[in-house]
Amino acid sequence: MKKTILFPTLLFCAFFQLSAQENSKKPQELREVTITKTKKAIEQRADRTIFDFANQPSLSSGSVLEGLKKLPGLIASDIAGMMYQGKQLDVYMDGRPLNISSNELNGFLEGMPANAIERIEIVTQPGAEFPATSGGAILNIITNKNAKNFLSATYTNSTNVTTYDQLRWRVNNSVLLNAKNKYFGWQLNMGQNYRESAMWSSFVNDIIGGTRLLSTTDSDRTNRTNFIKSAVTFDLKKDRLLLNYDVNYNNNGSDTQSNGPGFSTQDASNSKGWRQDAVATYQKRFEDKTKKLDFKFNFNRNQNDFVLNSLGVALPVLDNSSDQKFYNFKFDYSQPIAFSDEGKISFGSLHEGLSFQTQNRGVTNLDYQRKTTAGYFELQTKFKSMSFILGGRAEDYSISGKANNTDLTPFKQFRFFPNASAQYNFNKSVFFNVNYNKKIMLPSTSALNPNNTSYQNPTISNQGNPNLQPTIYDNYEVKLSAYDYAFIGYSVSSAKNQVIQRVNLNSNVVTNTNENISELKVHNFNIGMPIPYMLFTKGLAETMKMNVNPDEMNFLFVYAAYQLHQIPAIETKGFWVYNVMSQIVLPSKIKFVTNFSYITAKGNYYYFIANKPFNNTVDLSLSKKFLKDQLSISINADDIFNSNRFVFNSYNTSLLLSNKMDSRRFGFSINYKIPTKNKLARETPILLNKDKKEETGIIGN
């Protein structure tokens, strides 16, 4: 295993050493330079990694969830949730928390087309300005796109098919309309997603002397999603007022044939969900453009209904619903400081509340209330090549409620969460960074929900745990990054009261729930390195002299990580994560991209042990732009060897869990920017390296 990453490690060191030597040379003469700003496929910053989705057909051909699974270092599974480089992810959209997780989150991301996404930001070191409830890291899905002066429109379509036992279609369409003038701008993004899919699952009791089949399920699923995202921006001299309203409706059905000891059922489930999100933001600006004051109010409502019927049974087997209301008000202020280069101070406050009720057959069995009040202060300084960040966030929590008329364990605490970061810049493109922060993660409402909102039969039971307690994290990380694509790092996340998923076996009944464990440590070593193909023909020295855009050259990007989950009183084993992406620019500027992902077996993933390698896929895509880049067409083939499956043992049980989806798919995508006849129309430039509080789009700013 060590030899597997030896070459990328040595190449990284040589790459770093040679780039440092090149930057140490004094310039001999001044030349005229033309600077062209381009969007990067990957951008490394001190506290986050940014992935461009809009211009990467290999990521944007299917659903958001399918695109996320291709990102190096990200693990997304139905069994243990979503992690990035060993850190549990809190998922945001346009800078606002989704407040959903587990199966609901995967279903939501499956229903959203990836070609509606501009970029993905993974904040690996959330500072004091982010809520302390962000836990280990934040995955921020940015859907906003820049408005144009005068009216413009973009149409996107993605069509895919799978051919297993039958032909299944996955089609999404969306239209983006936007316009902007000197007084206001508006944007309307609407679309639909139709997705047919299959899933085959089994639960086996692997006992000494043989195996006993507990359950097999053959599910044929149909998901329908419609969404509208709207925004209006008013320019009030130097200030701005932003109004956003988003609505998402899904109607998902599944027909399942289930078999087990002594039973055979034909079941039909239906899940409907409404998600509404409204935001008002006022941005106060000053003569000094580096001084900022923002006020934001956000209201969100998420309603879900789930019904499971079984052939031959008069009444529904399950009839569950939930209603979540969330509000948030905050302000953020920042201004520069005079005693350091590019230094600034930031402070702000937040107040939010959440109300969550669940019903079983019309009877309320959980009434959960949560309120949080917070304030933060952060100082950023820079002295020559050294940068420092020091901050702290204080949060006061009040959590209470009732489950089946029994009071929940209350959580009323005041906590302080420090964060610190130091960075040494060898030059503008190479830096070494160390980080520490303390965070908390409150249990998601989907994990608290005592009702089953997925599926059950006589031997399978799924339910939440309304008595879950918050998790406290201490996160440490060191990282060396060079030229956005190359990096090497190590992180450890130490958690108290970690919420984990447990699958247990009780009298031949499989129970799937969530519980707290006293302590968990996740160690993660990772390295990423681009290897230009010209390196093998021209050598390292000549390659380093080339001033080319990595997104337009032929190269191999290699990512490798070793992850170890330490749980008290359990002897755990680590696992390796590999991702290899090859980009070749063919004649006529046709881009050919190959993605290979692989996670080794026998390692502990929380309380699960991988029996076979998982996330094991090979994906191919060909793309080209036409009509002066107004038309983009791509064709894709995912999981071409049909090797992506999940087979896990549940720790301290004889259970063997197997899951296979129709992941091998073939399709095409079209993105067409309808041309405007107005010669004065121009697009606001996208600058990924702008300050994180000054995004350029008008949705979710």
Side-chain angles (χ1 to χ4, degrees):
M1 290 297 181
K2 293 181 179 179
K3 293 181 179 179
T4 308
I5 62 170
L6 181 60
F7 176 69
T9 305
L10 294 175
L11 185 60
F12 184 95
C13 296
F15 178 79
F16 169 72
Q17 182 179 9
L18 187 56
S19 65
Q21 292 173 355
E22 291 291 329
N23 281 277
S24 65
K25 295 178 181 179
K26 296 183 179 180
Q28 300 299 317
E29 59 177 314
L30 294 176
R31 298 178 180 176
E32 183 178 351
V33 179
T34 300
I35 299 175
T36 302
K37 187 67 182 180
T38 59
K39 295 176 66 176
K40 301 174 181 178
I42 303 174
E43 184 176 357
Q44 292 282 339
R45 296 195 201 167
D47 67 337
R48 70 188 65 192
T49 302
I50 301 172
F51 298 93
D52 175 30
F53 256 55
N55 294 298
Q56 301 298 315
S58 60
L59 299 178
S60 60
S61 61
S63 69
V64 173
L65 185 62
E66 288 167 336
L68 289 175
K69 289 180 177 180
K70 297 179 184 180
L71 299 183
L74 192 144
I75 302 174
S77 73
D78 293 331
I79 293 180
M82 195 174 293
M83 299 181 72
Y84 180 74
Q85 295 182 0
K87 298 178 181 179
Q88 196 75 33
L89 287 170
D90 193 13
V91 182
Y92 282 50
M93 180 166 288
D94 294 326
R96 307 186 295 273
L98 282 176
N99 291 308
I100 55 177
S101 67
S102 304
N103 292 331
E104 289 182 17
L105 175 62
N106 288 347
F108 179 81
L109 297 178
E110 272 187 346
M112 175 170 289
N115 53 24
I117 303 304
E118 179 71 18
R119 64 186 186 272
I120 298 293
E121 295 185 349
I122 302 181
V123 185
T124 53
Q125 292 294 333
E129 68 180 282
F130 293 96
T133 52
S134 55
I138 294 173
L139 187 149
N140 189 18
I141 302 170
I142 305 295
T143 64
N144 58 307
K145 301 185 179 181
N146 286 345
K148 286 187 176 182
N149 287 0
F150 306 99
L151 179 66
S152 67
T154 302
Y155 167 74
T156 59
N157 169 273
S158 178
T159 301
N160 289 264
V161 297
T162 65
T163 57
Y164 284 73
D165 55 321
Q166 67 183 63
L167 188 69
R168 293 182 174 88
W169 291 87
R170 302 174 186 179
V171 182
N172 65 69
N173 295 277
S174 65
V175 176
L176 173 68
L177 303 173
N178 56 36
K180 189 176 182 181
N181 56 45
K182 65 179 181 179
Y183 299 108
F184 69 93
W186 62 269
Q187 187 177 100
L188 182 66
N189 188 10
M190 49 191 175
Q192 58 80 222
N193 182 52
Y194 176 80
R195 178 185 178 88
E196 297 175 342
S197 62
M199 182 172 67
W200 300 273
S201 301
S202 67
F203 292 83
V204 174
N205 191 357
D206 190 8
I207 55 179
I208 299 176
T211 61
R212 183 181 185 188
L213 181 66
L214 300 177
S215 171
T216 62
T217 57
D218 181 348
S219 299
D220 198 1
R221 307 188 300 173
T222 302
N223 295 355
R224 301 174 179 87
T225 302
N226 299 279
F227 68 90
I228 297 176
K229 298 178 68 65
S230 61
V232 180
T233 302
F234 297 95
D235 295 319
L236 309 174
K237 295 183 179 180
K238 294 177 182 174
D239 302 343
R240 287 204 302 173
L241 175 64
L242 297 87
L243 303 176
N244 301 76
Y245 177 71
D246 304 342
V247 60
N248 183 291
Y249 173 71
N250 64 73
N251 184 358
N252 304 329
S254 178
D255 293 318
T256 303
Q257 174 69 46
S258 176
N259 295 283
F263 74 89
S264 179
T265 65
Q266 292 184 6
D267 305 311
S269 65
N270 180 257
S271 176
K272 295 181 179 180
W274 279 96
R275 178 180 174 82
Q276 302 177 73
D277 193 79
V279 186
T281 305
Y282 185 81
Q283 297 178 330
K284 175 67 178 174
R285 296 299 179 256
F286 304 88
E287 291 293 335
D288 183 354
K289 294 184 179 181
T290 59
K291 185 185 298 186
K292 303 170 187 177
L293 176 62
D294 294 348
F295 298 91
K296 180 181 289 187
F297 178 77
N298 177 208
F299 178 78
N300 175 286
R301 187 174 186 183
N302 194 4
Q303 299 166 282
N304 290 280
D305 295 290
F306 177 79
V307 176
L308 175 66
N309 291 287
S310 187
L311 185 65
V313 180
L315 294 176
V317 177
L318 296 173
D319 185 358
N320 299 318
S321 63
S322 64
D323 187 0
Q324 175 182 288
K325 301 182 185 72
F326 171 83
Y327 71 87
N328 174 298
F329 176 76
K330 67 174 185 174
F331 81 87
D332 298 281
Y333 175 81
S334 66
Q335 72 170 44
I337 53 178
F339 59 83
S340 76
D341 302 329
E342 301 178 19
K344 69 174 183 178
I345 58 170
S346 305
F347 62 87
S349 180
L350 169 145
H351 180 75
E352 67 180 26
L354 183 144
S355 173
F356 181 63
Q357 287 84 34
T358 66
Q359 290 188 335
N360 174 249
R361 302 186 186 279
V363 178
T364 299
N365 57 356
L366 175 64
D367 188 356
Y368 176 86
Q369 308 291 330
R370 186 178 80 207
K371 290 184 179 180
T372 304
T373 302
Y376 76 90
F377 178 86
E378 190 170 77
L379 172 67
Q380 299 185 28
T381 62
K382 183 178 181 180
F383 301 99
K384 295 183 179 180
S385 298
M386 290 294 299
S387 301
F388 302 94
I389 299 176
L390 184 64
R393 188 178 184 95
E395 297 203 352
D396 184 74
Y397 308 99
S398 177
I399 301 176
S400 61
K402 289 188 176 183
N404 293 317
N405 296 319
T406 301
D407 290 338
L408 300 177
T409 303
F411 184 82
K412 299 181 184 296
Q413 290 191 17
F414 176 85
R415 286 184 173 271
F416 180 73
F417 301 91
N419 68 282
S421 176
Q423 178 173 305
Y424 180 76
N425 299 289
F426 296 94
N427 55 50
K428 290 184 178 180
S429 302
V430 181
F431 61 84
F432 177 73
N433 184 272
V434 294
N435 285 283
Y436 165 77
N437 64 60
K438 180 182 283 290
K439 296 291 181 180
I440 187 173
M441 180 171 281
L442 305 178
S444 68
T445 52
S446 59
L448 295 167
N449 191 343
N451 300 322
N452 186 354
T453 57
S454 54
Y455 176 76
Q456 77 173 37
N457 61 33
T459 59
I460 299 176
S461 175
N462 299 287
Q463 61 185 21
N465 181 358
N467 288 298
L468 292 174
Q469 293 295 296
T471 304
I472 306 296
Y473 293 93
D474 286 286
N475 302 308
Y476 308 84
E477 183 180 42
V478 294
K479 182 171 67 173
L480 175 65
S481 299
Y483 297 93
D484 291 328
Y485 288 84
F487 61 89
I488 183 170
Y490 169 75
S491 66
V492 59
S493 181
S494 179
K496 304 291 185 183
N497 282 333
Q498 174 72 52
V499 176
I500 54 94
Q501 188 173 1
R502 288 299 303 268
V503 176
N504 294 308
L505 180 62
N506 300 305
S507 301
N508 289 330
V509 175
V510 179
T511 303
N512 184 5
T513 187
N514 297 277
E515 61 183 54
N516 290 105
I517 59 174
S518 61
E519 187 177 351
L520 171 72
K521 284 186 179 180
V522 179
H523 301 263
N524 188 83
F525 167 79
N526 61 93
I527 182 171
M529 184 69 209
I531 305 175
Y533 285 125
M534 69 174 67
L535 180 70
F536 303 103
T537 59
K538 297 184 178 181
L540 179 60
E542 289 298 317
T543 301
M544 292 302 303
K545 293 178 182 179
M546 300 291 291
N547 184 21
V548 295
N549 179 4
D551 301 325
E552 298 176 356
M553 68 184 297
N554 301 326
F555 71 95
L556 189 73
F557 182 79
V558 179
Y559 174 87
Y562 180 76
Q563 197 171 123
L564 175 65
H565 295 197
Q566 287 185 316
I567 303 174
I570 297 177
E571 184 178 350
T572 57
K573 296 181 179 180
F575 56 88
W576 285 93
V577 180
Y578 299 106
N579 183 276
V580 178
M581 189 270 279
S582 169
Q583 175 179 286
I584 299 176
V585 181
L586 301 173
S588 300
K589 294 185 178 181
I590 298 174
K591 187 180 289 187
F592 177 48
V593 176
T594 303
N595 267 296
F596 169 67
S597 300
Y598 188 88
I599 301 179
T600 60
K602 307 306 179 184
N604 290 76
Y605 189 51
Y606 292 141
Y607 272 82
F608 301 96
I609 300 98
N611 187 271
K612 293 182 179 181
F614 63 105
N615 274 22
N616 182 13
T617 65
V618 176
D619 308 325
L620 308 175
S621 73
L622 287 164
S623 62
K624 178 174 172 53
K625 294 183 178 181
F626 302 88
L627 304 177
K628 297 181 180 180
D629 294 346
Q630 289 179 326
L631 174 65
S632 299
I633 298 178
S634 67
I635 58 175
N636 63 277
D638 283 9
D639 194 16
I640 59 174
F641 297 115
N642 196 31
S643 53
N644 191 11
R645 66 186 69 239
F646 294 87
V647 182
F648 285 87
N649 287 112
S650 179
Y651 175 77
N652 206 27
T653 75
S654 54
L655 274 175
L656 185 66
L657 296 69
S658 178
N659 181 294
K660 179 72 180 83
M661 299 191 67
D662 56 340
S663 51
R664 182 169 57 189
R665 63 184 177 95
F666 306 90
F668 67 89
S669 298
I670 297 175
N671 184 286
Y672 181 55
K673 298 178 181 178
I674 301 173
T676 175
K677 294 183 178 180
N678 195 315
K679 296 181 179 180
L680 299 177
R682 62 181 180 84
E683 187 170 5
T684 305
I686 300 174
L687 301 178
L688 288 185
N689 61 351
K690 293 193 69 170
D691 188 274
K692 57 192 169 188
K693 289 186 179 180
E694 187 68 10
E695 302 295 348
T696 56
I698 64 173
I699 286 186
N701 208 30

